[in-house]
Amino acid sequence: DPQWSNFEPPPPPNDEGWISFPGGRDGTAKLWGRVALPDASSADAAGGATPEKPPPVVVLAPGGGLSHDCGMGMAPFVEAFVTEGYAVLTFDYATFGASGNGDQPRHTVDPVQHVLDLKAAVSAVRSRSKELGVDGDRIALWGVSLSGSHVLVAASEEGGVGPPGVRAVCSLVPMLANGFSALTESIPLNPRPFSSQAKILALILKGMLLGIIGRPWYINFYGPDGSASAQQTPENNNGYASLAPPGGGEYDWRNGMTSSSLFKLFPYNPLSHV
């Protein structure tokens, strides 16, 4: 769908804690995030919060292919952190959810760009901490699956110290293998062990040819065994299906990523940074 590949989402409501900041590989994408603050009684649990000492903030990075559109994905974690007295910033990567595309097609999974977007979110928290009512010197990073690796990479950069203000990292089931191994091992062995790889390779080649004339081609994030999908285990299928927003949600989420995303995922090796 050429129109969807260039889809620029409408700006979110301005009365629900949304903030915007620049992101993407070249800084031209307009990223959107949402801030949730604890009440005064909850803030005491995180070391107290006053105008002189606002609450620490947890930056939640969405997992691969997910966004604010996606069901209850991060909502339970936001609620848990806020209840314990932490402020929370959730955000969408460039090309996903509420965020703009920059110079890439919709639903491009680009780990390097994701890490840059995560660091842009941290910078936004620090530079606007007074406006947001949070402590920009007490920041934690949280990620799951693919973003579990992103938070480790971001925190390991800049001489092993990480971005200024980052004091802690929570990484849930991170993808630590290189991208090629992670994707191929998610395709289970079956009576046709090479059929899925062959289908995906064919779509990659088709995507390369279409890319020459500026037309992105998409493959599914998840799908049944033997399909041309990036992930095919029952666990991945059940997990993604439970998070997929009915009808695409407010920002038209779809079960698809650009085939060129695989070239960006294959060389990604988080352990080379950590």
PDB file of all heavy atoms in Angstrom, residues 2 6 9 26 33 41 52 72 173 211 228:
ATOM      1  N   PRO A   2       1.101   1.882  -1.157  1.00  0.00           N
ATOM      2  CA  PRO A   2       2.000   3.044  -1.206  1.00  0.00           C
ATOM      3  C   PRO A   2       1.566   4.172  -0.283  1.00  0.00           C
ATOM      4  O   PRO A   2       2.408   4.881   0.278  1.00  0.00           O
ATOM      5  CB  PRO A   2       1.930   3.459  -2.682  1.00  0.00           C
ATOM      6  CG  PRO A   2       1.469   2.256  -3.410  1.00  0.00           C
ATOM      7  CD  PRO A   2       0.566   1.518  -2.466  1.00  0.00           C
ATOM      8  N   ASN A   6       3.828   5.756   3.282  1.00  0.00           N
ATOM      9  CA  ASN A   6       4.181   7.166   3.499  1.00  0.00           C
ATOM     10  C   ASN A   6       3.256   7.853   4.502  1.00  0.00           C
ATOM     11  O   ASN A   6       3.275   9.072   4.631  1.00  0.00           O
ATOM     12  CB  ASN A   6       4.117   7.919   2.169  1.00  0.00           C
ATOM     13  CG  ASN A   6       5.152   7.423   1.178  1.00  0.00           C
ATOM     14  OD1 ASN A   6       6.317   7.273   1.520  1.00  0.00           O
ATOM     15  ND2 ASN A   6       4.729   7.146  -0.044  1.00  0.00           N
ATOM     16  N   PRO A   9       1.177  10.109  10.722  1.00  0.00           N
ATOM     17  CA  PRO A   9       0.044  10.120  11.653  1.00  0.00           C
ATOM     18  C   PRO A   9      -0.314  11.520  12.103  1.00  0.00           C
ATOM     19  O   PRO A   9       0.550  12.418  12.149  1.00  0.00           O
ATOM     20  CB  PRO A   9       0.547   9.273  12.825  1.00  0.00           C
ATOM     21  CG  PRO A   9       2.034   9.400  12.760  1.00  0.00           C
ATOM     22  CD  PRO A   9       2.377   9.490  11.303  1.00  0.00           C
ATOM     23  N   ASP A  26      18.485  10.768  10.934  1.00  0.00           N
ATOM     24  CA  ASP A  26      18.992  12.089  10.571  1.00  0.00           C
ATOM     25  C   ASP A  26      18.338  13.205  11.373  1.00  0.00           C
ATOM     26  O   ASP A  26      18.534  14.388  11.070  1.00  0.00           O
ATOM     27  CB  ASP A  26      18.793  12.342   9.076  1.00  0.00           C
ATOM     28  CG  ASP A  26      17.329  12.263   8.657  1.00  0.00           C
ATOM     29  OD1 ASP A  26      16.476  11.987   9.534  1.00  0.00           O
ATOM     30  OD2 ASP A  26      17.032  12.473   7.472  1.00  0.00           O
ATOM     31  N   GLY A  33       5.974  11.041  22.571  1.00  0.00           N
ATOM     32  CA  GLY A  33       5.982  10.240  23.783  1.00  0.00           C
ATOM     33  C   GLY A  33       4.931  10.747  24.744  1.00  0.00           C
ATOM     34  O   GLY A  33       4.368  11.830  24.557  1.00  0.00           O
ATOM     35  N   SER A  41       1.527  10.763  47.189  1.00  0.00           N
ATOM     36  CA  SER A  41       1.718   9.668  48.137  1.00  0.00           C
ATOM     37  C   SER A  41       2.561   8.551  47.537  1.00  0.00           C
ATOM     38  O   SER A  41       3.406   7.958  48.213  1.00  0.00           O
ATOM     39  CB  SER A  41       0.366   9.118  48.591  1.00  0.00           C
ATOM     40  OG  SER A  41      -0.371   8.640  47.479  1.00  0.00           O
ATOM     41  N   GLU A  52      11.490  20.664  44.836  1.00  0.00           N
ATOM     42  CA  GLU A  52      12.956  20.660  44.844  1.00  0.00           C
ATOM     43  C   GLU A  52      13.521  19.293  44.482  1.00  0.00           C
ATOM     44  O   GLU A  52      14.665  19.178  44.054  1.00  0.00           O
ATOM     45  CB  GLU A  52      13.474  21.078  46.219  1.00  0.00           C
ATOM     46  CG  GLU A  52      13.183  22.522  46.606  1.00  0.00           C
ATOM     47  CD  GLU A  52      11.705  22.708  47.017  1.00  0.00           C
ATOM     48  OE1 GLU A  52      11.091  21.729  47.503  1.00  0.00           O
ATOM     49  OE2 GLU A  52      11.178  23.813  46.816  1.00  0.00           O
ATOM     50  N   MET A  72      -2.468  -3.666  25.522  1.00  0.00           N
ATOM     51  CA  MET A  72      -2.012  -3.385  26.886  1.00  0.00           C
ATOM     52  C   MET A  72      -0.517  -3.603  27.021  1.00  0.00           C
ATOM     53  O   MET A  72      -0.012  -3.825  28.116  1.00  0.00           O
ATOM     54  CB  MET A  72      -2.770  -4.288  27.869  1.00  0.00           C
ATOM     55  CG  MET A  72      -4.261  -4.020  27.943  1.00  0.00           C
ATOM     56  SD  MET A  72      -4.631  -2.410  28.678  1.00  0.00           S
ATOM     57  CE  MET A  72      -4.197  -2.720  30.382  1.00  0.00           C
ATOM     58  N   VAL A 173      14.081 -10.286  28.846  1.00  0.00           N
ATOM     59  CA  VAL A 173      14.311 -11.230  27.747  1.00  0.00           C
ATOM     60  C   VAL A 173      14.922 -10.542  26.522  1.00  0.00           C
ATOM     61  O   VAL A 173      14.359 -10.553  25.433  1.00  0.00           O
ATOM     62  CB  VAL A 173      13.014 -11.981  27.359  1.00  0.00           C
ATOM     63  CG1 VAL A 173      12.604 -12.920  28.462  1.00  0.00           C
ATOM     64  CG2 VAL A 173      11.859 -11.043  27.039  1.00  0.00           C
ATOM     65  N   GLY A 211      12.874  -1.446  -4.233  1.00  0.00           N
ATOM     66  CA  GLY A 211      13.517  -0.305  -3.578  1.00  0.00           C
ATOM     67  C   GLY A 211      14.246   0.595  -4.554  1.00  0.00           C
ATOM     68  O   GLY A 211      14.390   1.801  -4.318  1.00  0.00           O
ATOM     69  N   ALA A 228       6.118 -16.671   4.982  1.00  0.00           N
ATOM     70  CA  ALA A 228       7.176 -15.684   4.771  1.00  0.00           C
ATOM     71  C   ALA A 228       7.071 -14.608   5.841  1.00  0.00           C
ATOM     72  O   ALA A 228       6.845 -13.433   5.563  1.00  0.00           O
ATOM     73  CB  ALA A 228       7.068 -15.077   3.378  1.00  0.00           C
TER      74      ALA A 228
END
